[in-house]
């Protein structure tokens, strides 16, 4: 297939690109490298089946030819970005998503939206199933991302209803792995970098908040299965193994053999509304796609 990966210069997008090339697809990466890095694609410099186009998807799209699949992963994703570039996040989630949906319709391509567990907000239901409609603060510091992603899902579904666009939505839970930008503020990479440097690990608050961490290789297998499938509803993709942030810090210290200590620091202002717990119910992904993660946090 010929596949457009918007956001393909980022952490997840570059791994998705690798996976698609490995199985014989042709890939066009569209990215403005606002949070992604060209070095994520350096290893593909001599691969003929991939083309990298630097472009902001909120601007009118260049003529890129026809596609069988349009995958929209273009969006900053770290809470540090929510404070730094909230307007750009809202713009890419709305205008950017609309432009890519229109392109998919024009090509009769399947459109895959990278959504997020953040659509559930600070959940009152645990674990989170796709039928849960969420608990989101529409004006807090996280709202630029959460509401952009919720708007993105609404846009995708409206496009499908009005135009018959073939769409899919992946609700991605916390994912980690190689090529995360070391200083983007997300927890796994932050703790590993701190541990390797012998600096204190900065646990926000008492560290009792939970997350469920999925290795990027598992996530990309799920995304690939979803882009090959025809289901149009949202599908949770994540690893249901749940850890407190403090336990994660302890595991990182153990696995790196670091002498770092663990410091509790106040929850940063820009993280107000930090979800207290998060774990995906992945029964839909299991049933529909035959997918489940295989990499434990320690192995990852
Ligand atoms: P990332 O920041 O590494 O990748 C995002 C990519 O999108 C970057 O390469 C960035 O330059 C690009 N981008 C941003 N705005 C753009 C624009 N206007 N035009 C073109 N390109 C643009 O983040 P990631 O972790 O790889 O996330 C990829 C996608 O997955 C995002 O949509 C994110 O919301 C979603 N997601 C990720 C996670 C996770 O844990 N990694 C969890 C939930 C959802
Ligand atoms: N976190 C932390 N220390 C850090 C970075 C993050 O304790 O240096 C916490 C953060 O407050 C949150 C969890 O780790 O409770 C996950 O944060 P991340 O930014 O990775 O993802 P998200 O909040 O989007 O789930």
């Amino acid at each position: 297939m010929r596949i457009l990966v918007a956001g393909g210069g980022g952490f997840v997008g570059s791994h998705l690109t690798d996976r698609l090339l490995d199985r014989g697809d042709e890939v066009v990466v569209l990215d403005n490298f606002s949070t992604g890095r060209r070095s994520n694609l350096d290893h593909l410099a001599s691969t003929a089946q991939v083309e990298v186009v630097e472009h902001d998807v909120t601007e009118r799209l260049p003529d890129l030819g026809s596609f069988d699949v349009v995958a929209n992963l273009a969006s900053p994703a770290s809470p540090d970005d929510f404070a730094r570039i909230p307007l750009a996040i809202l713009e890419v989630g709305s205008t950017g998503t609309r432009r890519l949906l229109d392109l998919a319709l024009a090509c009769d391509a399947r459109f895959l939206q990278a959504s997020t567990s953040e659509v559930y907000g600070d959940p009152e239901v645990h674990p989170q199933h796709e039928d849960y409609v969420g608990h989101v603060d529409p004006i807090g510091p996280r709202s630029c991302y959460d509401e952009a992603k919720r708007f993105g899902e609404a846009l995708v579904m409206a496009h499908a209803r009005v135009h018959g666009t073939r769409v899919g939505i992946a609700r991605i839970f916390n994912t980690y792995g190689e090529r995360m930008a070391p200083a983007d503020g997300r927890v796994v990479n932050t703790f590993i970098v701190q541990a390797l440097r012998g600096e204190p690990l900065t646990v926000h608050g008492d560290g009792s908040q939970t997350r469920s961490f999925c290795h990027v290789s598992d996530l990309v297998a799920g995304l690939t299965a979803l882009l090959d499938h025809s289901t149009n509803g949202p599908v949770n993709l994540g690893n249901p193994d749940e850890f407190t942030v403090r336990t994660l810090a302890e595991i990182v210290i153990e696995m790196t053999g670091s002498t770092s200590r663990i410091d509790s620091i106040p929850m940063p202002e820009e993280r107000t509304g930090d979800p207290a717990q998060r774990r995906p119910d992945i029964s839909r992904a299991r049933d529909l796609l035959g997918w489940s993660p295989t990499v434990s946090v320690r192995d990852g």
Side-chain angles (χ1 to χ4, degrees):
M1 293 196 290
R2 189 162 188 269
I3 300 182
L4 180 71
V5 181
F11 158 54
V12 175
S14 63
H15 285 279
L16 178 62
T17 297
D18 285 348
R19 174 78 57 125
L20 297 173
L21 292 170
D22 279 351
R23 69 177 204 175
D25 294 323
E26 190 186 324
V27 178
V28 175
V29 166
L30 193 61
D31 201 302
N32 68 351
F33 296 99
S34 58
T35 56
R37 295 177 295 171
R38 285 200 161 270
S39 59
N40 288 341
L41 302 169
D42 277 354
H43 60 289
L44 301 175
S46 56
T47 306
Q49 291 79 10
V50 65
E51 183 187 349
V52 180
V53 178
E54 184 164 348
H55 185 79
D56 182 334
V57 297
T58 68
E59 304 290 338
R60 189 189 156 97
L61 300 182
D63 184 2
L64 299 164
S66 191
F67 296 98
D68 301 293
V69 175
V70 172
N72 179 20
L73 285 80
S75 172
S78 167
D80 280 13
D81 298 327
F82 307 169
R84 202 170 53 85
I85 43 172
L87 296 175
I89 292 173
L90 284 156
E91 196 65 32
V92 72
S94 51
T95 307
T97 301
R98 179 63 195 265
R99 288 193 190 281
L100 293 165
L101 275 164
D102 290 346
L103 171 65
L105 177 65
C107 306
D108 190 27
R110 174 156 167 84
F111 179 88
L112 181 68
Q113 173 76 347
S115 190
T116 169
S117 53
E118 290 280 339
V119 300
Y120 302 121
D122 187 6
E124 302 139 305
V125 169
H126 196 70
Q128 293 80 51
H129 185 269
E130 291 87 347
D131 291 338
Y132 176 50
V133 295
H135 179 224
V136 173
D137 173 358
I139 58 168
R142 304 181 81 93
S143 62
C144 57
Y145 183 71
D146 297 11
E147 297 292 13
K149 289 290 184 180
R150 289 172 68 93
F151 181 86
E153 289 199 12
L155 200 51
V156 166
M157 295 310 291
H159 218 273
R161 288 186 188 111
V162 172
H163 298 297
T165 318
R166 297 183 294 115
V167 299
I169 297 173
R171 288 192 181 149
I172 302 170
F173 284 63
N174 295 68
T175 299
Y176 67 94
E178 305 83 338
R179 301 188 199 141
M180 293 188 89
D184 77 4
R186 289 187 274 188
V187 71
V188 176
N189 39 335
T190 300
F191 283 175
I192 291 175
V193 169
Q194 289 169 334
L196 292 176
R197 288 184 179 151
E199 296 167 359
L201 274 61
T202 50
V203 167
H204 297 160
D206 65 5
S208 63
Q209 68 272 35
T210 69
R211 294 293 187 273
S212 305
F213 298 103
C214 186
H215 189 258
V216 67
S217 58
D218 279 332
L219 174 68
V220 160
L223 287 174
T224 309
L226 191 52
L227 67 80
D228 288 341
H229 202 275
S230 59
T231 186
N232 68 352
V235 179
N236 288 340
L237 294 178
N239 189 324
D241 279 351
E242 184 179 2
F243 298 84
T244 67
V245 165
R246 178 163 285 275
T247 301
L248 176 74
E250 289 164 358
I251 292 172
V252 168
I253 287 179
E254 178 200 322
M255 303 287 302
T256 54
S258 173
T259 54
S260 291
R261 61 172 198 271
I262 297 176
D263 278 357
S264 280
I265 64 168
M267 181 65 70
E269 179 90 27
E270 65 274 15
R271 284 182 181 264
T272 306
D274 186 65
Q277 53 182 2
R278 182 182 291 156
R279 172 156 59 101
D281 176 333
I282 59 164
S283 46
R284 184 174 289 178
R286 278 205 176 98
D287 294 347
L288 271 181
L289 310 175
W291 173 86
S292 56
T294 59
V295 182
S296 71
V297 155
R298 282 169 191 276
D299 286 345

